[in-house]
Amino acid sequence: MAEQFNYSSVLAPYMKHLLDTKVSAGISAHRTKWILKEFDDFANRENLEDARITEDLIKRWRATRVADCGKTLYTKYSVWSQLARVMCRLGCECFIPRLPKEPKSGFTPYIFTHGQMSDIFNAADGCRLYDIRMGTALMCIPAILRLLYGTGMRVSEALSVRNRDMHLDEHYIHLRKTKNGSERIVPVSESLAAVLRQYTGYRNRMPVRNVSAEDGLLFVKPDGTGVSQGAVYTNFKKILRMCGIPHYGNHHGPRVHDLRHTYAVHSLVQMGRSGMDLYTCLPILSTALGHHSLAATEQYVRLTCSMYPELEEQCSEINAFVYPKVCPAYDYND
C-alpha cells in the first residue's frame, strides 16, 4: 500500500480488510482510500484504543466536518457504514450509522454545439508557442480534446492511456485505468484514428528516450513527462476565451468534463436522427461511457429530448415505461 495509505490507528486492520475486499472485486477504491485516511487520522487524534465504532465516535467526527458539503458527507457516511459492517462481520460489534438523505445535484451540464466544437478544435490547432518551454502540454492539446469529444473518455482516463493500449488499425483503445475500476474497450472512428496517428508521428520525432515504448504514455510533453489534468484545464480555458465562450468557473463550467456530456448528447442525437429509438441506444452508450448502470446513462436521454424536442418522437412509450424517470433531467452527477 502506498505510503500515504499506511493506516496506523486501532481501526487500521479493518480498513485494510475493507480495501482488500473492494480490490478483489475489481474496484479501484481510490476515493475510499483517502476517506479512510481521514478516519484513521481522526482515530489517532482521539487516541482511540478500543477497536469499535460507536455512535458517540461518529458524532465527534461529524462535529469536525463543518466545511464538507452534503454530497461529500453522504459519501463519507457511506464509507463509515461499510467499515462498520465489515467490523461486525469480523466479530467486532459496532454502531452502523444511518446514511443521510442523498442530496440531489443542482449541476447543469454544458452541452457544446457542433459549431462551438468546430471553433474549439480550430482554436486549439492555431495555438502557438513563442518561446522554448519543454514543460508545455500544448502539442498534445488538439489531440486530447478530439479524443475526449470523440470517445466520451474522462480526462483522467485519456491521460492514463499508454502506447500498448492503442489499436488504431482495429479502431479501438483499451482503457485499463478507469474511474469505476473496470477495464473497457472504447471505439475509435477513422477520423479520430487519423488524428492520433498524426499526433504520434510528430511525438515520436521528439528526442525523448523510449517515447514510443509500449509501456510509455500516449500523451507526453517535450521533457518526456506525462500531461497533467491541470495542464489540460488551463489550456482549455484559454481556448474557450479565444472562441468567445464564457467560462464561469467555480464548477459552473463550461468544464473539460462537459466534452463527455456533449459526446453523449451528440451521439444520441445522431442515433435518433438515423431512426433509432433513443431508449434502445442506452446499452450502447452506457457501454461506451463505462457506466455500471443504465440509470446513469438514462439521464442523457431526457437531457437530449429537452434540447431536441423533435427527437422525443423516437422514444416509444413502452421503453419510457421500462426506464422510468428517476430524477429531473439535469439532476445527475457523472
Side-chain angles (χ1 to χ4, degrees):
M1 188 175 293
E3 183 177 350
Q4 65 264 36
F5 300 126
N6 284 335
Y7 309 122
S8 58
S9 72
V10 69
L11 300 176
Y14 303 101
M15 294 177 174
K16 293 174 182 177
H17 184 86
L18 173 60
L19 290 174
D20 289 342
T21 302
K22 286 180 173 289
V23 172
S24 66
I27 302 172
S28 63
H30 184 70
R31 188 175 186 186
T32 302
K33 292 177 183 178
W34 283 108
I35 293 175
L36 289 175
K37 178 60 177 172
E38 176 191 309
F39 297 168
D40 188 67
D41 292 340
F42 171 74
N44 283 328
R45 289 195 303 270
E46 291 288 309
N47 296 316
L48 191 65
E49 297 180 355
D50 186 11
R52 285 195 316 122
I53 296 175
T54 64
E55 185 175 4
D56 182 63
L57 179 70
I58 296 295
K59 287 181 178 179
R60 297 202 307 271
W61 164 80
R62 175 63 182 89
T64 67
R65 309 315 304 167
V66 294
D68 287 348
C69 68
K71 191 167 184 62
T72 299
L73 282 173
Y74 178 86
T75 302
K76 291 181 179 180
Y77 267 107
S78 176
V79 176
W80 270 124
S81 178
Q82 293 171 44
L83 180 61
R85 293 176 188 278
V86 165
M87 294 175 69
C88 288
R89 287 198 296 269
L90 295 176
C92 181
E93 186 175 349
C94 292
F95 168 76
I96 300 176
R98 174 183 292 183
L99 269 62
K101 185 177 181 180
E102 184 174 11
K104 292 184 178 181
S105 172
F107 172 72
T108 302
Y110 188 98
I111 306 301
F112 295 99
T113 66
H114 287 89
Q116 287 177 324
M117 290 308 309
S118 179
D119 291 342
I120 288 172
F121 293 149
N122 289 333
D125 293 342
C127 291
R128 297 290 185 270
L129 282 176
Y130 296 99
D131 55 9
I132 299 175
R133 296 182 183 179
M134 299 300 290
T136 181
L138 188 59
M139 173 185 170
C140 309
I141 297 301
I144 290 175
L145 297 184
R146 285 175 168 87
L147 180 63
L148 296 178
Y149 173 67
T151 64
M153 286 186 191
R154 301 175 179 90
V155 182
S156 58
E157 294 171 343
L159 299 183
S160 71
V161 174
R162 297 186 178 272
N163 294 321
R164 68 170 182 266
D165 303 325
M166 303 287 289
H167 303 274
L168 299 183
D169 291 339
E170 292 81 18
H171 294 91
Y172 75 89
I173 294 175
H174 184 180
L175 276 185
R176 304 174 190 270
K177 187 176 180 181
T178 67
K179 175 184 177 182
N180 294 324
S182 302
E183 298 184 13
R184 75 176 188 272
I185 299 299
V186 177
V188 175
S189 67
E190 182 55 45
S191 59
L192 179 56
V195 169
L196 294 174
R197 289 192 189 99
Q198 183 186 51
Y199 160 74
T200 53
Y202 284 111
R203 183 205 62 181
N204 293 346
R205 297 181 189 180
M206 297 192 302
V208 176
R209 179 176 298 179
N210 298 324
V211 69
S212 59
E214 284 193 1
D215 196 46
L217 289 169
L218 171 62
F219 296 113
V220 295
K221 297 179 289 187
D223 61 6
T225 61
V227 177
S228 68
Q229 294 186 44
V232 177
Y233 297 149
T234 299
N235 283 280
F236 185 67
K237 286 189 288 186
K238 291 179 180 178
I239 290 170
L240 289 181
R241 287 197 297 269
M242 294 169 62
C243 297
I245 301 174
H247 180 267
Y248 301 102
N250 194 27
H251 303 290
H252 293 293
R255 312 167 303 162
V256 176
H257 195 70
D258 287 321
L259 294 175
R260 175 175 166 87
H261 297 314
T262 302
Y263 159 82
V265 171
H266 286 187
S267 296
L268 285 173
V269 170
Q270 183 178 22
M271 288 187 280
R273 288 177 175 170
S274 68
M276 297 178 65
D277 185 309
L278 293 188
Y279 280 102
T280 64
C281 304
L282 276 181
I284 301 172
L285 184 60
S286 182
T287 301
L289 291 172
H291 286 164
H292 279 181
S293 69
L294 291 179
T297 318
E298 192 269 346
Q299 309 311 314
Y300 288 117
V301 174
R302 303 198 178 278
L303 177 58
T304 301
C305 288
S306 68
M307 296 180 63
Y308 300 88
E310 72 277 8
L311 293 179
E312 195 161 7
E313 298 177 0
Q314 301 297 122
C315 300
S316 70
E317 293 183 3
I318 294 179
N319 281 333
F321 175 77
V322 172
Y323 301 100
K325 184 175 182 179
V326 295
C327 58
Y330 296 115
D331 288 350
Y332 68 93
N333 179 39
D334 191 297

